[in-house]
Amino acid sequence: MNQLQPNGAVSNSDAVPTMPSDFTDLLDEEINLAGGEFQEDEAFHGAVGRTMYDTPASKDNTVTILLPAEEIRRVPSQSLVRIKSRPLDKGGDGRQYIAAVVEGPFAEPDGLRADAPLVVTTTVRGATFTPRYHGRVQVEILGEEIDNKLVPPRFRPLPNSPVVVIDETETAERLRLLGDVTIGLAVGYESVPVSFSTERKDVLPRHTGILGTTGGGKSTTVSGLIGKLGTSGVAVVIFDTEGEYTQMMQATDDAGMLAALAQRGLEPQGVKNVGLYHLVGRATTNAQHPDRRQFCLKYENLSPYAVMEILNFNDAQQERFLKAYDIARRLMRDPKINPFSKEDEEKVFELDEMEEGYPRLTLQMMYELVRICADTVEGAENFDYLRVKAFRDNLPQIRSVIKEAQLPKVISSWRKVQGSLSRLLRLKIFDTPQATTPDYKAMTKPGRVTVIDLSDTDSPQINNLVISEILRGLHLQQDENYQASEKGESMRKVVVVIEEAHEFLSKERIKQMPVLHQQIERIAKRGRKRWLGLMFVTQLPQHLPDEVLGLINNYVLHKIADINVISRLKRSLGSVDEGLWNRLPNLAPGQAIISFAGMTRPLLVAIDPTPCRLRMIE
Ligand SMILES: Nc1ncnc2c1ncn2[C@@H]1O[C@H](COP(=O)(O)OP(=O)(O)O)[C@@H](O)[C@H]1O
Ligand SMILES: [Mg+2]
């Protein structure tokens, strides 16, 4: 008898007859009867797998795909596949779909559950029993392909349809990842760069949020983007609250970053054409930079209503402040006190006091007027403190205007207003002779990068004043640039990066300073038409109110662990699938979910390491 030996060989034994000689002929006959040798359906050529039958757990718009073990690595997470139903005459419906891998690939043992005791035990004992296995991925249907166009799917792919992998070139096109600024490489692919276009008006000017916990990679992303935007001819202005970006003009010397750059095939290099601004009288974290200027704020750019907000005036104080402001307006119209230019006249004519202050009115003037009013109420007669020459020279006239004005009494409220203005004066950041306001025309030149170093102000209030004033200046400049573009000049593109955006735009602050924030919101809305894109960077997105999140169209989401934040973002960002959201709390530094306007779907991206130097902050 033929015996199966332990080694699988068959031993000859006389007890058993040999195989009939016509055995193979018989077999061939059987095969012919059954329709010939098994031929894989043509539709399956080149296929990596097939769609599975549905189960009670199946969900609309997602399909399970099964694949042999050797194909698993060809269908990584996020990759695109094409599901081709077989033609009508082969039992299919002839439809073709494009889908993206949203879960998996998972490896499952054939015919056994992965957690079956047999599998678990043998694995623990040293894996002497390793069953054959297959792959499973869950895909989300992006659309049905008709004449090479993707349309919303109306049907579901049939079970047992062949699935082929879409190559990386077609993937980049399908996902609309092409453009002049590259953010990084799509995770799961060999080399699919994720880029966006600075040419498109519906991307950067529609505002960007870069969110994630500390250490997630925000500053690396921001500094890398700044360099690339500059190269693409976009002007960038960054409000640098920590002084982290003041050495961007140098190449990085961070060992980890150098290694990451080398691996990605990138060179370390500094950002070109960087100008540095810091507030007059405040230090900068890079005093060596040759292209460095101090700037001051102009009181006349501040709406009187914004001033009252910043100084937190109560009703009585507001009444007195507005009274003094009224007097200021009348006096400023007097040519002896204030020789107006034609331009000023025009400005006054169009003045929107919710947006700006009175032309040429300085903080010193306002302070002195309030003080004269207070002294008048108190009956004091000593005005030696006056420093504004026009006021000293015209004191009798000023006093008669003030007398006519029927000042509200209660000296303590007047003195409070005077004290607050005096504190503002002592900051020495308004209307100083040794510094000018920022040069917005230069700041909006193509490729110009301006770092506003705010590291030495140690006051969120001052930062907010600076940010609002410069935003306003840039907005007015972009208005002007827009007019020029109508006359044929090419439109200047500007991106403004606001680091620690929660300090500037938190719900609390908005409540404290509604006027200032309405201004910002107006700028954000008009910025869309004027090519002024805002980029909000924060580790505390929970502090941003819905109004601000509502302004954001592009997202870079680094690691976020807070479940509440994730669920809020989910509401503003419908396009991110559950599989990606689930990864958000566990992202590595430098990984981010990218959802930019214009992309077919959000992607997990390994952000490019930054070639320039970031200053270490504690
Ligand atoms: N894209 C990246 N490539 C390589 N390493 C990165 C990347 N992003 C972040 N890292 C690493 O993580 C650290 C923290 O990143 P950083 O940008 O300072 O985070 P955040 O600004 O969110 O606090 C970096 O110093 C670097 O070591
Ligand atoms: Mg940072």
Side-chain angles (χ1 to χ4, degrees):
M1 180 162 193
N2 280 359
Q3 269 179 331
L4 205 57
Q5 301 293 311
N7 63 4
V10 177
S11 74
N12 262 334
S13 157
D14 302 333
V16 160
T18 50
M19 199 162 67
S21 57
D22 60 349
F23 173 75
T24 51
D25 295 344
L26 287 172
L27 193 59
D28 282 343
E29 211 174 299
E30 287 286 332
I31 288 170
N32 283 334
L33 277 174
E37 196 173 319
F38 172 74
Q39 292 278 343
E40 192 180 49
D41 192 327
E42 207 175 309
F44 287 96
H45 286 176
V48 289
R50 303 167 180 225
T51 53
M52 191 177 98
Y53 286 98
D54 290 327
T55 68
S58 293
K59 284 200 216 84
D60 285 330
N61 215 41
T62 96
V63 179
T64 305
I65 291 170
L66 298 177
L67 19 130
E70 60 274 17
E71 304 286 10
I72 292 179
R73 34 166 283 283
R74 292 185 56 201
V75 196
S77 167
Q78 306 204 88
S79 57
L80 288 193
V81 294
R82 181 172 276 123
I83 303 172
K84 300 181 181 176
S85 270
R86 279 165 295 164
L88 287 167
D89 59 343
K90 293 259 168 67
D93 62 4
R95 294 182 192 280
Q96 190 158 306
Y97 301 86
I98 301 245
V101 175
V102 291
E103 285 172 48
F106 304 111
E108 297 176 335
D110 292 347
L112 278 171
R113 286 177 53 135
D115 58 356
L118 180 66
V119 180
V120 173
T121 316
T122 50
T123 304
V124 173
R125 296 280 175 259
T128 47
F129 170 69
T130 41
R132 285 171 58 93
Y133 65 99
H134 60 268
R136 177 172 65 82
V137 296
Q138 200 68 24
V139 299
E140 190 175 281
I141 309 290
L142 301 186
E144 185 183 341
E145 221 178 353
I146 296 177
D147 296 334
N148 211 19
K149 292 223 170 55
L150 218 50
V151 301
R154 288 181 299 141
F155 300 94
R156 195 175 162 75
L158 298 176
N160 208 16
S161 298
V163 176
V164 298
V165 173
I166 294 181
D167 70 36
E168 297 196 340
T169 316
E170 187 183 345
T171 299
E173 272 167 36
R174 288 273 167 201
L175 294 179
R176 290 194 239 132
L177 305 178
L178 307 175
D180 51 336
V181 171
T182 299
I183 311 176
L185 296 180
V187 169
Y189 296 91
E190 202 55 50
S191 171
V192 174
V194 177
S195 314
F196 61 86
S197 166
T198 58
E199 298 294 324
R200 291 178 57 155
K201 286 199 199 112
D202 60 346
V203 184
L204 290 175
R206 307 286 305 274
H207 314 310
T208 308
I210 299 183
L211 318 177
T213 48
T214 303
K218 298 182 298 300
S219 301
T220 307
T221 301
V222 166
S223 62
L225 273 180
I226 291 174
K228 291 170 187 173
L229 288 171
T231 309
S232 265
V234 176
V236 186
V237 177
I238 171 155
F239 293 105
D240 185 5
T241 39
E242 307 274 356
E244 200 180 356
Y245 298 93
T246 52
Q247 293 174 1
M248 271 195 313
M249 50 298 271
Q250 286 151 47
T252 183
D253 55 359
D254 178 89
M257 211 48 85
L258 288 173
L261 284 167
Q263 202 190 23
R264 171 81 171 86
L266 299 171
E267 296 285 328
Q269 60 172 9
V271 176
K272 294 185 189 68
N273 200 1
V274 182
L276 181 61
Y277 272 110
H278 57 113
L279 198 53
V280 58
R282 305 298 190 277
T284 165
T285 54
N286 186 2
Q288 271 78 47
H289 187 50
D291 193 346
R292 172 178 73 87
R293 286 179 195 79
Q294 300 194 28
F295 69 98
C296 70
L297 301 179
K298 276 225 141 92
Y299 184 74
E300 63 172 76
N301 290 338
L302 265 184
S303 151
Y305 297 94
V307 176
M308 293 193 295
E309 250 175 39
I310 292 157
L311 298 178
N312 212 358
F313 283 164
N314 65 21
D315 288 347
Q317 292 154 3
Q318 288 190 19
E319 186 194 355
R320 281 152 186 83
F321 177 82
L322 286 175
K323 194 70 175 180
Y325 178 69
D326 228 26
I327 293 166
R329 273 197 302 211
R330 280 184 54 193
L331 293 172
M332 296 299 282
R333 306 237 36 161
D334 183 336
K336 274 199 306 247
I337 293 175
N338 177 37
F340 253 163
S341 70
K342 219 170 132 39
E343 204 179 302
D344 291 333
E345 292 285 356
E346 275 168 27
K347 245 187 171 173
V348 169
F349 191 66
E350 293 179 347
L351 196 63
D352 175 357
E353 285 173 339
M354 295 305 280
E355 285 274 343
E356 58 195 321
Y358 205 83
R360 290 180 185 269
L361 182 63
T362 63
L363 179 57
Q364 181 72 31
M365 287 171 153
M366 195 61 206
Y367 164 76
E368 291 186 2
L369 280 178
V370 167
R371 190 161 172 187
I372 303 173
C373 288
D375 285 352
T376 307
V377 168
E378 210 173 37
E381 288 291 329
N382 182 359
F383 300 99
D384 291 347
Y385 53 81
L386 291 181
R387 293 219 218 127
V388 176
K389 186 167 180 304
F391 285 2
R392 276 204 313 267
D393 294 350
N394 297 281
L395 190 55
Q397 193 218 335
I398 291 170
R399 295 198 64 194
S400 83
V401 169
I402 287 178
K403 282 223 179 74
E404 269 168 45
Q406 297 188 336
L407 299 178
K409 302 288 175 253
V410 189
I411 184 67
S412 60
S413 293
W414 277 108
R415 291 297 181 206
K416 283 260 167 56
V417 175
Q418 180 192 329
S420 296
L421 288 175
S422 149
R423 270 197 304 282
L424 207 54
L425 259 182
R426 266 180 276 138
L427 293 175
K428 295 199 171 79
I429 56 174
F430 286 99
D431 318 308
T432 60
Q434 69 271 37
T436 57
T437 48
D439 180 350
Y440 298 112
K441 199 162 197 135
M443 281 161 83
T444 58
K445 279 203 180 128
R448 179 68 170 171
V449 174
T450 309
V451 179
I452 316 275
D453 184 354
L454 296 173
S455 56
D456 191 37
T457 61
D458 26 75
S459 150
Q461 263 86 359
I462 297 181
N463 288 356
N464 285 359
L465 274 177
V466 171
I467 296 173
S468 343
E469 176 152 343
I470 293 183
L471 267 183
R472 191 166 162 277
L474 287 168
H475 179 239
L476 292 175
Q477 183 64 48
Q478 279 302 85
D479 259 345
E480 211 174 278
N481 294 343
Y482 182 77
Q483 313 289 333
S485 80
E486 303 246 282
K487 293 190 190 105
E489 264 183 51
S490 57
M491 187 60 203
R492 290 188 177 185
K493 306 168 191 169
V494 180
V495 166
V496 180
V497 184
I498 304 174
E499 262 277 358
E500 311 279 333
H502 56 275
E503 289 280 7
F504 178 56
L505 291 164
S506 68
K507 286 174 215 157
E508 301 283 281
R509 293 242 187 279
I510 291 188
K511 225 185 286 159
Q512 284 163 6
M513 304 191 175
V515 174
L516 222 52
H517 282 95
Q518 274 151 24
Q519 288 183 3
I520 308 303
E521 225 164 287
R522 274 197 294 273
I523 289 174
K525 287 188 177 135
R526 290 187 204 145
R528 297 177 169 187
K529 301 192 186 85
R530 295 287 182 269
W531 233 115
L532 182 65
L534 307 180
M535 204 172 260
F536 306 105
V537 187
T538 174
Q539 70 270 30
L540 293 170
Q542 57 270 43
H543 290 200
L544 297 184
D546 286 336
E547 295 94 296
V548 175
L549 284 186
L551 292 171
I552 296 175
N553 271 271
N554 313 306
Y555 283 90
V556 176
L557 302 177
H558 285 285
K559 172 179 175 157
I560 296 177
D562 186 331
I563 303 296
N564 295 323
V565 177
I566 296 181
S567 66
R568 242 183 100 217
L569 287 171
K570 273 186 189 173
R571 270 181 275 142
S572 349
L573 247 157
S575 54
V576 177
D577 60 67
E578 207 54 37
L580 277 183
W581 285 122
N582 291 341
R583 297 177 78 156
L584 201 52
N586 305 314
L587 294 184
Q591 286 187 326
I593 295 175
I594 304 283
S595 169
F596 266 56
M599 277 168 65
T600 308
R601 64 196 322 272
L603 277 181
L604 183 59
V605 175
I607 307 279
D608 284 348
T610 186
C612 66
R613 187 182 299 178
L614 283 172
R615 212 179 60 86
M616 290 295 271
I617 46 173
E618 65 294 335

